[in-house]
Amino acid sequence: MLQKTSHFMKTANLIGGEWVQSDSGDTIDVTNPATGLKIGTVPKSGRAETKRAVEAAAEAFKSWRKTSALERSKLMRKLHDAIMDNQDSLAELLTMEQGKSLTEAKGEVGMSAAYILWYAEEGRRTYGDAVPSPWADRRILVTKEPVGVIAAITPWNFPSSMLARKIGPALAAGCTSVVKPASQTPYSGLAWGVLAEEVGIPKGVLNIVTGSASEIGDELCENPLVRKITFTGSTEVGKVLLKKAADTVKKVSMELGGNAPFLVFDDADVDRAVEGAVAAKYRNSGQTCVCTNRFIVQAGVYDEFVEKLAAATRKLKVGPGLEEGTQQGPLIDEKAVEKVEEFIEDATAKGGKVVSGGKRHELGGTFFEPTVIRDATIDMKFTKDEIFGPVAPVYRFEKEEEAVEMANDTIYGLASYFYAGDLGRVFRVMEGLKYGLIGVNEGIITTAEAPFGGLKQSGLGKEGGHQGIEDYLDTKYICIGGLGL
């Protein structure tokens, strides 16, 4: 391991500016999914440690909220630069604990920096209003202020950039944070603490706690000092957090599960669609919330698309993320592999045909072959359930209306993609899809400048774009009277 990587690999929690162990001394093992070997431990903290972190954040908020937007922006620019100066080390650490290729990890770290820079700029533009008054002797002002302490809970699949989307607007708005990274990938989360210290972000502004998801989550939901919860993860867990946060009427942002359709019409550029399909399906070994879950392809190009997609998947290099040229790393754990196998078994039992892949990779462990299944039908499990693995089921359709109906037939509404040539069709389909993100003739569309978030049971609120800071702000109306005008 590089010395600089170990510098960021903190085996302690950050509470009130101090690196501490759990009260019990208990720890959680962190393993490299490519090797199955333990790479270190982190504290197994619970309610008591989380309560102290919240109290530290509340204390720090008293002074942090009074800093100017310009002052916070300058610190965030330093944070952006520190991330980019250490991009290689942070990416290596990310790959070791998460498994994705080093190329993808570098991209994620770069995206983390982009979010910080975007909010360094956006924080200076949280404008209020001077509203024309209906009364001659009164004036009306509308101001924006930070909500207070925010709690952020993030998943294992994007352990750096998911935090950037939450830490960035919180810092910019003048909020303080308590964050809980996923137990499988905690080091990329703890690295934010090291970076924050190095650039001079005051103690207590950012607190990081690892450990029991239920205990930490309960304290964050129930503690009245926490004024906002932002969560990225499953719809199932999101619903639990929503219910628990209701008792103290917190603001909530939820980026939840997905079931992304990828539509290919007869008039599409099939080669371009295949290129987009590979990017939208097999990035991070299919383990992203915006990964394609269902390919819905028109009959006229169905066979051509399946054949070309299968050929493209066979060329993907599967291997350890730190190995040069790797395009697909391992799945996160054995449970993820078993889930993928269950989907494939169900599909083949119901008439689906495996065109490429379909089994564990010869590398062993949790490596799995990129898989394409043709003749997918709506009674197969992955029609409703999120795959979260490198399996591409391809459904057939005849008419445009049928495709849109199939695409929308899910409780989810996060990301969707479609490829078409006719401009009228582009607008009809774009307006017909009930999704928060839509890629038209593009397979990768996420950027800091645009709002990211789902509809229906895929979530509430937006991250990114100018919309992403709104949930970290309270709007105040002030009526000033007695002016004698």
Side-chain angles (χ1 to χ4, degrees), residues 149-378:
V149 177
I150 73 109
I153 302 172
T154 54
W156 51 262
N157 57 341
F158 287 90
S160 178
S161 63
M162 292 292 182
L163 270 176
R165 287 180 182 171
K166 303 175 190 308
I167 292 170
L171 289 172
C175 298
T176 54
S177 306
V178 178
V179 306
K180 186 217 169 288
S183 294
Q184 287 162 302
T185 55
Y187 292 126
S188 293
L190 291 163
W192 281 95
V194 179
L195 291 160
E197 282 186 327
E198 288 183 356
V199 302
I201 290 171
K203 292 182 177 184
V205 169
L206 176 61
N207 304 273
I208 306 167
V209 186
T210 58
S212 166
S214 58
E215 284 195 39
I216 293 170
D218 283 352
E219 181 63 33
L220 293 175
C221 286
E222 294 167 18
N223 195 312
L225 293 174
V226 175
R227 294 311 315 142
K228 171 184 164 63
I229 297 240
T230 171
F231 169 73
T232 300
S234 72
T235 295
E236 182 185 19
V237 174
K239 288 176 180 178
V240 172
L241 293 173
L242 278 168
K243 287 173 185 172
K244 290 183 175 179
D247 286 341
T248 47
V249 195
K250 302 186 195 307
K251 283 196 173 199
V252 289
S253 297
M254 296 276 152
E255 197 258 278
L256 307 175
N259 185 348
F262 188 112
L263 282 57
V264 183
F265 291 93
D266 283 349
D267 58 336
D269 178 334
V270 175
D271 290 330
R272 183 179 175 86
V274 168
E275 187 182 335
V278 171
K281 174 70 248 186
Y282 298 103
R283 185 165 62 110
N284 198 20
S285 304
Q287 301 173 119
T288 93
C289 51
V290 295
C291 267
T292 300
N293 211 63
R294 298 167 292 149
F295 287 94
I296 302 170
V297 182
Q298 201 159 11
V301 292
Y302 186 90
D303 290 337
E304 181 188 358
F305 178 82
V306 169
E307 186 182 314
K308 287 182 174 179
L309 179 61
T313 62
R314 293 185 194 108
K315 293 177 185 173
L316 290 172
K317 184 184 176 185
V318 178
L322 293 176
E323 208 170 88
E324 192 173 344
T326 290
Q327 293 168 291
Q328 184 180 290
L331 297 186
I332 189 68
D333 56 25
E334 179 64 23
K335 190 178 171 186
V337 177
E338 289 170 2
K339 183 182 175 188
V340 165
E341 288 179 324
E342 187 184 315
F343 278 125
I344 295 171
E345 189 178 325
D346 171 75
T348 53
K350 292 171 180 172
K353 297 181 181 65
V354 175
V355 185
S356 63
K359 60 185 187 299
R360 294 178 186 237
H361 197 274
E362 60 188 16
L363 288 169
T366 59
F367 290 95
F368 203 90
E369 294 178 344
T371 300
V372 176
I373 298 176
R374 65 171 292 149
D375 302 331
T377 54
I378 59 171

Side-chain angles (χ1 to χ4, degrees), residues 48-101:
E49 299 89 338
T50 308
K51 185 171 186 286
R52 287 201 299 276
V54 171
E55 288 167 353
E59 185 61 33
F61 179 64
K62 294 175 184 176
S63 53
W64 182 246
R65 66 175 301 180
K66 293 178 182 175
T67 57
S68 70
L70 177 59
E71 188 179 341
R72 296 194 296 271
S73 176
K74 286 178 177 175
L75 277 172
M76 291 179 71
R77 285 176 177 275
K78 285 183 180 177
L79 180 57
H80 163 272
D81 292 347
I83 295 168
M84 292 310 294
D85 287 347
N86 294 283
Q87 186 176 18
D88 289 348
S89 302
L90 292 167
E92 183 179 287
L93 181 60
L94 199 163
T95 292
M96 281 195 305
E97 64 177 348
Q98 200 278 330
K100 68 179 61 174
S101 73

